[in-house]
Amino acid sequence: MSFCLAVLIRFPERVRCGWSQHLTMSGAALGLEIVFVFFLALFLLHRYGDFKKQHRLVIIATLLAWYLCFLIVFILPLDVSTTIYNRCKLAVNSSPAESNGSYVTLAPSKQKCFKPWSYIPDGIMPIFWRVVYWTSQFLTWILLPFMQSYARSGGFSITGKIKTALIENAIYYGTYLLIFGAFLIYVAVNPNFNLQWNQLQTIGIAAANTWGLFLLVLLLGYGLVEIPRSHWNGAKRGYLLMKTYFKAAKLMTEKADAEENLEDIMEEVRKVSESIKYNHPLRKCVDTILKKCPTEYQERMGRNMDDYEDFDERQNSYPSEKSLAKLHKQVIYSVQRHRRTQVQWQILLEQAFYLEDVAKNESSATRQFVHTFHSQEPENKIIQYFYTPTVEWYWECLLRPWFYRVLAVVLATFSVIVVWSECTFFSTNPVLSLFAVFIQLAEKTYNYIYIEMACFLTIFFLSICVYSTVFRIRVFNYYYLASHHQTDAYSLLFSGMLFCRLTPPLCLNFLGLTHMDSTISHKNTQPTAYTSIMGSMRVLSFVADGFYIYYPMLVVILCIATYFSLGTRCLNLLGFQQFMGDSEMTSDLIDEGKELIRREKRKRQRQEEGENRRREWKERYGNREDSTRSRAVHTDQKESSFSETSANRRKLCGLEGKFVLFFSILSAHHWL
């Protein structure tokens, strides 16, 4: 909405007069991508977040951050194709030419500049990028950190949470302000620098992109190796099953730790609840804490509470509001962690049971997939009709391993191309970057469909390598994106911050790989609208000619380290158990996880056998029980009617006796 208003305000006469015919196809392409990206971000957020339990502002802020970052990735190929057409049109207008419909024909060479189907008129893309970029920067540097502190705070009022968030962010951003202030003083004192506002803005953008590029290369080096390897290992049934056993052992330890931590926190809540009675001023805070506790603990504490009891502040020591806020924060974290481990344990059990079923069905002669346990969720009838046991057997036992192997080879090929291009994209003569070669070949024939598809596949693969690493990162259970609606508010907001900080340098890196950035190509050509918003990095030559050129080469070292699992081995040496096939600790955890899965499997089998026996008993003796119940009801009705009749008879007999006694007294009085 803000983008449309900006366009109308800046170019009112163009919108009314000259853009109606150009905006038909380009507006449709841009509108479809905007709508598609919105639903994609909404789907992912629904998978990881919980719309019902989490605060609406957290959901909206995270959705906006994810949406803007995904939108940049999807819209940038349109910017590239539009820029290529504008360059051709500029070259045509600089020499004798003839206008012919939707393209311009050069007189001497008969060159044609076809207009792309998704062409966006001049002036729209700069406004679009300016709105999207500065909105994302406002989110990542101001709003999302503030909301992180607000969501993590244990305050009992909005004012208290805002105060805590302001104090935490003031301490965090104080260091940035000191560095920026020192830089401004240095620039003002040094006579060699004569920087304008636009140059200061470019320096700020360069500083943010430098920090983002530093983190981008780390995540990219991990994703380029781990994504193809994970798909290749996905074709190994034994590998997946062993890794599932390993995860089960680790998750059981985490689950037990979460339960123990929750018990300790609930014991503290019980003591506080018993000490602070209903007439105490801090009782409202205690009630707020109790509402965050699980239902069974609330009922247990409610049974042990008296309705009312006087208190004496001089005799008893009561906790302060600050200590209650700390306890509130601990309750929120412990309950969230306990619920997350419970859900993940059930999901991991289903995955282990299914992998064991696949291993059993591989040697099946009937070629029909047989499940040990029936699905607890109702299956879709349409999927059940097409995805028959025979189709499931062919897919799971025969086709799926080969599909994963082919996909892993394709992804590995893309990874090799990316690594080669990252190391050679600064070479312009000859052009060694394969992505730049592909784009330049398509630019000669003005095949805009191919240009947009090549750009989209390139930046999409880079985004998958970076963003998937963000989803896999786990920092001591403090930051952890868990699927099935189990991600807490702090982790959601932190992921939004990472996305907003990684996406601009990711796009600049993509434009450098394709030589669409004039800073890399060293050509005096029209830049893309995205790089025009970023400004010329020549203001800081050591950044443009040094860091941006040579730092991405470190991705080779990171890929080698990831391939040999150096990070995993270091974490394993530090005591953080990681899945390694040649480790004794890994073998012990696999055996432990296998025993846990067997125990849960026997428990599930006993439950299903009990349910089957109850179902058979009901089907076999259900009619007899109904007839017995009807007879018992009929007998009860007879007995009740008989008892009512006897009671009425007794009442009548009592009345008759009273009448006889009354008349006998009267007669005796008469004779006397």
Side-chain angles (χ1 to χ4, degrees):
M1 182 62 69
S2 58
F3 166 69
C4 297
L5 290 176
V7 172
L8 290 173
I9 292 172
R10 188 166 182 177
F11 303 102
E13 65 281 355
R14 292 188 182 182
V15 173
R16 289 194 300 266
C17 302
W19 285 1
S20 58
Q21 58 181 358
H22 299 299
L23 287 175
T24 303
M25 293 299 295
S26 60
L30 189 62
L32 287 176
E33 290 196 357
I34 289 174
V35 173
F36 173 76
V37 172
F38 175 78
F39 284 104
L40 176 62
L42 187 65
F43 170 76
L44 289 176
L45 184 58
H46 177 265
R47 176 177 174 81
Y48 287 90
D50 193 347
F51 291 170
K52 297 180 180 179
K53 295 181 180 180
Q54 289 170 343
H55 200 279
R56 293 182 180 178
L57 292 179
V58 174
I59 297 297
I60 293 174
T62 307
L63 177 62
L64 183 59
W66 290 12
Y67 173 61
L68 292 178
C69 296
F70 296 162
L71 191 62
I72 293 175
V73 173
F74 277 80
I75 301 299
L76 193 60
L78 302 183
D79 189 8
V80 172
S81 62
T82 301
T83 302
I84 291 175
Y85 172 73
N86 289 333
R87 289 177 180 179
C88 177
K89 187 172 62 174
L90 184 63
V92 168
N93 292 334
S94 62
S95 59
E98 298 177 359
S99 178
N100 185 11
S102 61
Y103 57 88
V104 179
T105 305
L106 279 175
S109 61
K110 302 296 182 182
Q111 184 180 5
K112 297 180 180 179
C113 296
F114 290 96
K115 182 177 294 185
W117 67 281
S118 59
Y119 173 73
I120 300 175
D122 298 337
I124 292 183
M125 289 306 298
I127 301 174
F128 177 82
W129 290 130
R130 190 174 288 110
V131 171
V132 171
Y133 177 76
W134 289 112
T135 303
S136 63
Q137 294 303 302
F138 172 77
L139 288 173
T140 187
W141 294 106
I142 297 178
L143 183 61
L144 292 181
F146 177 81
M147 293 189 65
Q148 267 188 313
S149 301
Y150 182 89
R152 190 175 50 186
S153 174
F156 299 99
S157 62
I158 298 177
T159 305
K161 291 184 177 182
I162 292 176
K163 182 179 178 181
T164 304
L166 289 175
I167 293 174
E168 290 183 0
N169 283 271
I171 296 173
Y172 177 72
Y173 287 109
T175 55
Y176 288 98
L177 290 176
L178 288 176
I179 296 173
F180 185 71
F183 176 76
L184 287 181
I185 293 173
Y186 173 76
V187 170
V189 173
N190 195 338
N192 296 326
F193 289 97
N194 186 16
L195 298 178
Q196 304 297 327
W197 167 249
N198 292 333
Q199 294 176 338
L200 288 176
Q201 178 180 342
T202 303
I203 291 174
I205 294 174
N209 290 335
T210 301
W211 185 93
L213 184 63
F214 176 79
L215 185 60
L216 174 69
V217 173
L218 297 178
L219 301 180
L220 185 62
Y222 176 82
L224 288 174
V225 176
E226 191 61 30
I227 290 179
R229 182 163 60 185
S230 62
H231 285 81
W232 181 265
N233 292 331
K236 303 176 183 178
R237 297 299 180 189
Y239 176 87
L240 289 179
L241 191 56
M242 294 300 106
K243 192 171 184 179
T244 304
Y245 290 150
F246 177 83
K247 289 181 179 179
K250 288 190 62 178
L251 187 58
M252 176 55 72
T253 304
E254 182 182 352
K255 181 171 171 288
D257 185 40
E259 292 176 354
E260 183 179 355
N261 186 27
L262 182 63
E263 289 287 344
D264 296 339
I265 297 298
M266 291 299 104
E267 181 64 23
E268 294 183 12
V269 173
R270 185 190 63 80
K271 293 179 180 179
V272 170
S273 179
E274 290 179 355
S275 63
I276 299 179
K277 302 302 179 180
Y278 291 103
N279 56 340
H280 197 280
L282 294 177
R283 185 62 199 183
K284 294 181 179 179
C285 301
V286 177
D287 293 337
T288 304
I289 296 175
L290 289 175
K291 291 179 181 178
K292 303 297 177 59
C293 299
T295 307
E296 59 272 15
Y297 290 98
Q298 294 182 20
E299 295 176 353
R300 190 185 309 172
M301 295 175 190
R303 289 194 297 266
N304 297 328
M305 286 295 297
D306 296 331
D307 292 337
Y308 185 86
E309 183 177 333
D310 293 331
F311 68 95
D312 188 0
E313 294 182 356
R314 293 174 297 179
Q315 297 179 0
N316 299 328
S317 59
Y318 297 98
S320 62
E321 186 175 356
K322 186 176 181 180
S323 61
L324 289 179
K326 183 179 179 180
L327 180 61
H328 186 204
K329 181 178 178 180
Q330 293 175 351
V331 168
I332 294 174
Y333 173 74
S334 60
V335 170
Q336 170 67 26
R337 185 186 175 192
H338 179 262
R339 183 171 61 248
R340 183 181 64 198
T341 53
Q342 294 290 336
V343 173
Q344 288 181 333
W345 177 250
Q346 296 299 326
I347 296 172
L348 190 62
L349 287 179
E350 297 295 334
Q351 182 180 358
F353 295 157
Y354 191 77
L355 290 175
E356 289 180 347
D357 290 341
V358 171
K360 291 180 180 179
N361 283 275
E362 284 181 349
S363 58
S364 175
T366 60
R367 295 193 174 185
Q368 288 189 349
F369 200 91
V370 179
H371 294 269
T372 304
F373 303 108
H374 296 287
S375 178
Q376 298 179 355
E377 299 180 357
E379 297 182 356
N380 192 348
K381 294 183 179 180
I382 299 177
I383 298 177
Q384 191 175 6
Y385 178 77
F386 290 100
Y387 197 62
T388 60
T390 304
V391 175
E392 186 176 5
W393 186 90
Y394 275 100
W395 167 249
E396 292 292 342
C397 302
L398 189 63
L399 298 178
R400 188 172 183 175
W402 287 104
F403 173 77
Y404 271 76
R405 291 189 184 98
V406 172
L407 183 60
V409 171
V410 173
L411 293 175
T413 304
F414 267 95
S415 297
V416 172
I417 294 175
V418 169
V419 173
W420 171 262
S421 300
E422 290 285 357
C423 296
T424 59
F425 73 93
F426 58 89
S427 176
T428 57
N429 190 17
V431 178
L432 298 179
S433 175
L434 297 180
F435 295 115
V437 172
F438 297 154
I439 298 300
Q440 290 178 5
L441 289 176
E443 186 178 357
K444 293 180 180 180
T445 59
Y446 298 100
N447 190 348
Y448 295 107
I449 299 293
Y450 173 80
I451 291 173
E452 292 177 3
M453 290 301 299
C455 291
F456 175 75
L457 290 177
T458 303
I459 194 171
F460 184 74
F461 179 73
L462 294 175
S463 303
I464 290 296
C465 294
V466 174
Y467 293 160
S468 63
T469 308
V470 173
F471 281 98
R472 292 184 182 186
I473 290 177
R474 183 172 180 177
V475 185
F476 304 113
N477 288 325
Y478 197 64
Y479 165 75
Y480 182 26
L481 285 175
S483 58
H484 297 84
H485 322 291
Q486 299 303 314
T487 307
D488 59 344
Y490 180 85
S491 299
L492 286 176
L493 294 171
F494 188 75
S495 66
M497 291 173 54
L498 284 179
F499 284 170
C500 292
R501 296 180 185 182
L502 290 171
T503 304
L506 174 65
C507 295
L508 286 178
N509 183 255
F510 160 74
L511 294 174
L513 294 177
T514 56
H515 287 187
M516 294 299 297
D517 189 356
S518 58
T519 305
I520 304 299
S521 61
H522 302 286
K523 294 181 180 179
N524 190 14
T525 56
Q526 183 180 1
T528 60
Y530 188 82
T531 53
S532 66
I533 297 303
M534 292 296 172
S536 177
M537 297 303 171
R538 293 296 176 186
V539 178
L540 299 176
S541 58
F542 67 93
V543 175
D545 298 332
F547 186 78
Y548 282 174
I549 299 296
Y550 298 106
Y551 179 71
M553 295 182 185
L554 293 178
V555 73
V556 179
I557 300 176
L558 294 172
C559 288
I560 294 174
T562 305
Y563 180 79
F564 290 103
S565 303
L566 296 182
T568 302
R569 298 179 186 275
C570 292
L571 290 175
N572 204 19
L573 291 176
L574 293 175
F576 302 98
Q577 291 85 4
Q578 303 294 319
F579 183 77
M580 297 178 60
D582 55 350
S583 175
E584 183 178 356
M585 180 65 69
T586 301
S587 301
D588 295 339
L589 290 176
I590 289 174
D591 296 336
E592 182 181 351
K594 185 183 296 185
E595 183 61 30
L596 290 172
I597 296 300
R598 288 177 181 174
R599 188 184 307 168
E600 294 293 333
K601 194 172 186 179
R602 290 194 297 266
K603 187 187 299 183
R604 180 78 63 85
Q605 288 175 349
R606 287 195 298 268
Q607 291 177 356
E608 288 198 353
E609 288 175 359
E611 292 177 358
N612 292 333
R613 285 195 298 267
R614 285 192 295 270
R615 191 182 303 111
E616 292 177 358
W617 179 271
K618 187 176 180 180
E619 292 176 354
R620 184 177 300 178
Y621 302 104
N623 298 328
R624 296 182 181 180
E625 290 179 357
D626 295 337
S627 61
T628 305
R629 290 177 182 176
S630 62
R631 291 175 183 176
V633 171
H634 185 65
T635 305
D636 293 338
Q637 291 178 354
K638 285 184 176 181
E639 291 179 355
S640 62
S641 61
F642 177 76
S643 60
E644 290 178 357
T645 305
S646 60
N648 292 332
R649 289 178 179 176
R650 286 195 297 269
K651 289 181 180 180
L652 291 175
C653 293
L655 290 175
E656 290 178 356
K658 291 180 181 179
F659 278 115
V660 171
L661 180 61
F662 177 73
F663 284 112
S664 62
I665 292 173
L666 286 179
S667 61
H669 181 71
H670 176 71
W671 286 105
L672 290 174

